[in-house]
Amino acid sequence: MSQTKARGKGKGQSRGRTPSGRPAAAGASAVQVLPAPGGPQSATLAVPDISTVGSRLAGLLSGSPGRLRIAAAVSALACLLLAVVGAAAMQYRANALEEARSHIAQVVRVQKAQADLVRADAAVTNGFLAGGLEPAALTADYDGAVAEAARLLVDASAAQPDDAAKLAQANQLLADYTRQIAQARDNNRLGVPLGSGYLVLGSQTVLRDQLLPLLGGVVTDNGTKIDDAYSASSAATWWFTLGVLVSGGVLVGTQVWLARRSHRVLNVGLVAASAAALLAIGSGAVVLSSTGRTAQDVRVTSYAATSALTTARAAAYSAKGLESLTLVKQGGGAAYETQWKAQAKVIGEALDTARLSGADVGAAPAALEAWTATHQTIRSFDDGGDWPSAVKVATWVEGEPALPATAKGQASNVQFAALVAALDPVLDAQAAKASTDLATPWGALQFVGWGTLVLGILAAIAAVGGISQRLGEYR
Amino acid sequence: MTTTRTTTRTARRRAAVLTALAAAGALALAACGAPSIPADTPAFTASPAAAPTALAKPTCTDATTSYDPLPATSGNAAFPGGSLQTAIRDRGRLVVGVSGDSFLLGSRDPRRPTVFNGFDIDLARAVAKALSTPGSDVKVQFRVITAAQRIPLVNAGVDGGGVDLVARNMTMNCDRWDQVGFSAVYFVAKQRFLVRTDSPSKSLPDLVAAQARVCAPAGSTSIQRMVDPQYAGIVPVQVDQHTTCLALLQQGRVDAITGDSTVLAGLNAQDPDYTKVLDDEIGEEPYGLAVDKDHPEFAQYVNAVLKQYIASGQWQASYDKYFAKALGAEQPPTPQYGREIPAS
């Protein structure tokens, strides 16, 4: 109370709006059980005469009519159980799939941020090779990719607050990366080797050794949550099955019992109740199995393909950056060439995974092969001591003076653009498909969930009605 | 209303706990990962590198002794048949393995990528010039090689995809004499220290007392020499190359850089106003030009050229041009000859 008052002080406006009695009422409502508005149930409760109730209850439940009353109550409860368990199972499945979908979206988002970061790095390292006169297109590409990555990190943080701590750290590293790169470019303009020192700090120490693995951790975290959501989604089937067995068993049992007692095979009410229950069970089973199948399908097809293609794209940009870094290091770049080989392997494997997941990877493998061949040309120039020709092949773009004849028309930037152009449409299509596929089951689960609830209640009413009819015969 | 506020507060507290945990985690990570770059900014840690090992003791005493120089050095002097210098003269091209990014020693001109400059480059050019005869020039072709490539490429020879000569600040030592041939010493570099001009440490003892973070390439002789009880307290920071050390020094992430005086002069030249080389010298690195182990006669020839190079004042001119500003005055080294020519 005193706390409330203290809070109220100095907030004249909000206090003015609030009626003076309200804080007290709000505080009291948390603990006070209000007398419910008059109704048959609460009326019964309001008269707690145990002996009277007990004797009336004993009278109601004794003899054949009594047993029939018990049967009616049990059947009604069984139907209501089916209604509640069925609706809850659908809702649970829907929520679990929505959870999975949100984490899948997060994985795609964070992987896209990773790809944008290495895209920025590929642009800046390639531009670095040109010396002070960085091509404006590459600078624009770098700026755009960094801006996009920064936006995605903020989006990702808002989408999954659990990832916020790691993403905040990632943002800090991104700031450090752009700082190192800015100093690398400044020193490169001045023509001093120090520029390459800053470039290594940015591209290797900050980006590849810290920032990308940190984001990889966010992807792993969300992967675990996707697994959890899928397990939760399967649990819905078990709850539903349990509900069906219990309520179905009770309904069938009641009918058999009734048939034996009354020498009549069918009771219209109970048959109607059973039909409603069957309809609820059937539609529930259908929708649960179909949504379960859809979810599993998405996981091994469009989602798996999206993830693989994003990985391939990120690995490609990373490899492009490493190709340039190897040249920046002027013969000291063996470590980057080793990393290039590892990334090229990742691209190839990811393309295989995407294909096995049902994606049509189209021209991507051929484009990868062409770019790899160009990369080999660059390496053989550089390893043979012809660094200027290697740089030419690595940086040439349309409109520049002719390439050395020994390059056989190969230009890394051209072949690399072809690889990205082959990957991008496939990736976009698969990502869109994954998102749509996972959104579809939600509507069906909602519809059937509510339907089960209504059918269960109707079945309960029908069961009570049917047994009441039998009960009437005793009066 | 009360509920909302409580929830927000709980969430905020949870977020604070998470942040604290993340920070603690990052610190713990930084502590056990033994990062080579200190995590002085919260997010900045470096790739882990193994702790440097101490430097091994030399196993011989004549590491700086080379073969006797040949009497004739230039012009039309005839060489014995089958000698490497004859082959080079016939080819008209001397292939020299150099560094591409050691500023002042051997580096590519950033604006003209086929042009090299530096102290090592000047000397290699002098060798090519001596090989030239009035009728036909011997051109020099520079090839950027890594430190690890020096020995295999010089022994492979040009016909085997290698080089004739290595002029890439290569230290002469006992082990290497078993693998290559060396010219006489052409420069004695000392291990020294580069600091920012605003550094409170004016000497090596100051650096030790301040427990300074000292940067050098991983696995280098310079970083190995820091592993010694007399330098206890120094925090070695290992990176891939010296230019990275300079970037870290400029950002205040290390306190000093150690390395050969020649290399430090190159770093100082890239940031002349805000860095300086301390006077303390520890350890010597005698540089020699490396030749094929099976062609000691070429080393003898190079020795004759070097003798002439020093006597004519070219050595001094080159030193003054590149190093005098950062390292102070220096005399050319006195060559030591008399090594026995191995039986081939």
Side-chain angles (χ1 to χ4, degrees):
Chain A
M1 210 37 223
S2 62
Q3 214 185 351
T4 318
K5 257 184 202 163
R7 240 194 284 134
K9 263 179 198 165
K11 289 188 180 175
Q13 214 182 353
S14 75
R15 203 177 157 76
R17 262 189 299 152
T18 317
S20 57
R22 205 180 143 196
S29 73
V31 287
Q32 190 182 326
V33 178
L34 290 173
Q41 239 181 343
S42 50
T44 319
L45 279 173
V47 191
D49 190 338
I50 292 163
S51 62
T52 322
V53 173
S55 62
R56 273 184 66 186
L57 208 62
L60 278 171
L61 298 180
S62 64
S64 293
R67 278 193 284 277
L68 275 174
R69 283 194 187 98
I70 292 173
V74 168
S75 311
L77 278 176
C79 292
L80 290 176
L81 176 78
L82 179 68
V84 171
V85 168
M90 301 304 147
Q91 194 56 49
Y92 193 67
R93 162 69 57 88
N95 288 346
L97 289 185
E98 191 53 29
E99 179 84 1
R101 196 169 78 96
S102 78
H103 288 295
I104 284 174
Q106 182 79 337
V107 166
V108 170
R109 203 177 284 126
V110 174
Q111 284 186 329
K112 189 162 181 319
Q114 286 181 307
D116 280 322
L117 289 169
V118 281
R119 177 159 72 92
D121 197 60
V124 80
T125 48
N126 202 250
F128 194 91
L129 284 170
L133 295 172
E134 259 177 48
L138 287 175
T139 309
D141 202 13
Y142 168 78
D143 289 343
V146 167
E148 182 65 11
R151 191 184 65 76
L152 284 167
L153 291 183
V154 173
D155 282 359
S157 192
Q160 299 291 346
D162 283 357
D163 297 334
K166 276 185 184 167
L167 291 169
Q169 212 185 337
N171 243 328
Q172 215 174 345
L173 284 167
L174 177 59
D176 202 356
Y177 170 73
T178 52
R179 170 190 174 197
Q180 307 296 343
I181 294 300
Q183 285 191 270
R185 288 161 70 183
D186 287 348
N187 281 289
N188 198 32
R189 282 193 78 84
L190 297 174
V192 287
L194 176 58
S196 76
Y198 277 108
L199 190 66
V200 166
L201 276 186
S203 298
Q204 184 68 44
T205 312
V206 178
L207 180 66
R208 287 183 171 79
D209 291 350
Q210 295 175 68
L211 181 47
L212 294 179
L214 182 67
L215 293 179
V218 176
V219 169
T220 313
D221 290 351
N222 280 279
T224 313
K225 285 177 182 156
I226 294 168
D227 290 345
D228 292 349
Y230 268 89
S231 308
S233 162
S234 339
T237 310
W238 296 111
W239 284 111
F240 184 72
T241 311
L242 193 68
V244 164
L245 288 178
V246 171
S247 55
V250 168
L251 273 181
V252 170
T254 312
Q255 286 182 75
V256 169
W257 175 78
L258 207 59
R260 282 205 189 130
R261 278 189 66 84
S262 61
H263 311 293
R264 284 190 209 170
V265 180
L266 292 175
N267 175 292
V268 180
L270 281 176
V271 168
S274 301
L278 261 179
L279 185 59
I281 292 168
S283 57
V286 166
V287 79
L288 274 180
S289 91
S290 85
T291 54
R293 214 166 37 237
T294 308
Q296 289 302 338
D297 279 355
V298 172
R299 201 181 193 192
V300 296
T301 58
S302 48
Y303 167 59
T306 304
S307 187
L309 288 165
T310 315
T311 306
R313 193 164 167 275
Y317 278 117
S318 184
K320 185 74 176 96
L322 290 163
E323 176 180 279
S324 302
L325 273 178
T326 311
L327 292 173
V328 167
K329 292 301 287 286
Q330 303 247 0
Y336 300 108
E337 175 59 12
T338 310
Q339 288 187 59
W340 186 95
K341 288 194 178 108
Q343 294 296 334
K345 193 158 166 266
V346 170
I347 307 171
E349 286 170 355
L351 285 179
D352 284 345
T353 308
R355 195 172 36 227
L356 289 175
S357 311
D360 177 10
V361 293
L368 174 62
E369 212 167 293
W371 181 55
T372 306
T374 308
H375 178 77
Q376 302 308 345
T377 305
I378 293 172
R379 290 316 316 145
S380 60
F381 273 131
D382 190 28
D383 292 341
D386 189 358
W387 186 79
S389 290
V391 169
K392 194 95 192 134
V393 177
T395 59
W396 190 87
V397 287
E398 213 72 58
E400 282 185 7
L403 284 157
T406 38
K408 288 170 270 166
Q410 290 174 317
S412 179
N413 285 345
V414 174
Q415 267 92 52
F416 184 77
L419 173 60
V420 171
L423 279 174
D424 277 356
V426 191
L427 171 59
D428 290 348
Q430 292 294 328
K433 189 165 181 299
S435 182
T436 328
D437 286 356
L438 274 172
T440 324
W442 201 80
L445 285 165
Q446 292 293 315
F447 180 76
V448 173
W450 288 106
T452 308
L453 192 65
V454 171
L455 283 171
I457 291 168
L458 288 178
I461 293 168
V464 171
I467 298 175
S468 297
Q469 191 195 354
R470 236 349 120 259
L471 204 59
E473 288 166 9
Y474 286 89
R475 283 183 186 142
Chain B
M1 200 156 167
T2 318
T3 326
T4 323
R5 202 166 295 189
T6 318
T7 319
T8 320
R9 213 179 297 139
T10 318
R12 215 175 287 153
R13 201 178 304 137
R14 218 165 61 193
V17 169
L18 275 177
T19 317
L21 275 178
L27 278 178
L29 211 71
C32 62
S36 40
I37 299 172
D40 49 356
T41 55
F44 200 90
T45 54
S47 37
T53 51
L55 200 60
K57 291 257 181 302
T59 54
C60 66
T61 52
D62 61 348
T64 53
T65 309
S66 182
Y67 313 113
D68 291 335
L70 287 181
T73 62
S74 63
N76 286 315
F79 300 125
S83 69
L84 185 54
Q85 49 267 44
T86 311
I88 295 166
R89 190 177 269 178
D90 291 348
R91 196 196 302 136
R93 188 165 52 99
L94 170 74
V95 183
V96 187
V98 296
S99 167
D101 59 355
S102 300
F103 209 47
L104 303 188
L105 273 169
S107 68
R108 210 185 280 278
D109 186 318
R111 287 175 188 84
R112 293 170 298 166
T114 52
V115 176
F116 286 79
N117 295 307
F119 187 79
D120 285 346
I121 305 296
D122 283 359
L123 181 55
R125 284 213 183 91
V127 175
K129 196 167 170 233
L131 282 165
S132 301
T133 54
S136 62
D137 263 8
V138 171
K139 291 195 168 62
V140 62
Q141 181 194 333
F142 294 112
R143 175 163 167 199
V144 173
I145 62 171
T146 64
Q149 286 175 323
R150 292 180 296 197
I151 292 171
L153 286 186
V154 79
N155 282 329
V158 171
D159 291 341
V163 298
D164 295 311
L165 187 70
V166 169
R168 195 192 185 287
N169 55 333
M170 188 168 180
T171 300
M172 304 165 76
N173 63 33
C174 313
D175 291 347
R176 285 180 184 162
W177 267 113
D178 292 337
Q179 298 166 289
V180 291
F182 277 114
S183 72
V185 180
Y186 70 89
F187 192 88
V188 182
K190 314 277 175 25
Q191 180 170 346
R192 288 171 74 170
F193 297 85
L194 183 84
V195 295
R196 286 158 59 126
T197 46
D198 63 356
S199 169
S201 300
K202 311 288 179 204
S203 66
L204 178 54
D206 286 354
L207 286 174
V208 175
Q211 309 205 328
R213 297 160 299 178
V214 176
C215 184
S220 64
T221 313
S222 309
I223 204 89
Q224 287 177 317
R225 247 186 223 121
M226 291 289 94
V227 186
D228 190 298
Q230 60 176 315
Y231 308 129
I234 292 238
V235 180
V237 175
Q238 302 189 73
V239 296
D240 65 324
Q241 56 173 12
H242 265 114
T243 43
T244 308
C245 284
L246 182 56
L248 291 172
L249 185 77
Q250 287 187 339
Q251 296 183 345
R253 283 167 166 166
V254 299
D255 304 307
I257 303 172
T258 189
D260 292 1
S261 48
T262 49
V263 173
L264 297 186
L267 298 182
N268 173 253
Q270 297 178 55
D271 191 1
D273 296 338
Y274 304 108
T275 63
K276 62 180 179 201
V277 180
L278 297 181
D279 291 335
D280 301 77
E281 295 176 343
I282 59 166
E284 291 192 343
E285 300 292 341
Y287 294 164
L289 298 171
V291 302
D292 189 337
K293 186 176 174 359
D294 296 333
H295 287 284
E297 81 284 355
F298 187 48
Q300 289 185 284
Y301 176 74
V302 170
N303 280 347
V305 176
L306 182 58
K307 199 172 164 189
Q308 174 64 22
Y309 188 71
I310 292 172
S312 66
Q314 291 178 80
W315 187 97
Q316 196 67 55
S318 188
Y319 178 87
D320 292 348
K321 179 178 172 193
Y322 293 115
F323 298 129
K325 187 167 169 276
L327 304 179
E330 185 83 60
Q331 299 295 314
T334 313
Q336 289 161 290
Y337 306 122
R339 179 176 286 268
E340 200 179 324
I341 306 228
S344 50

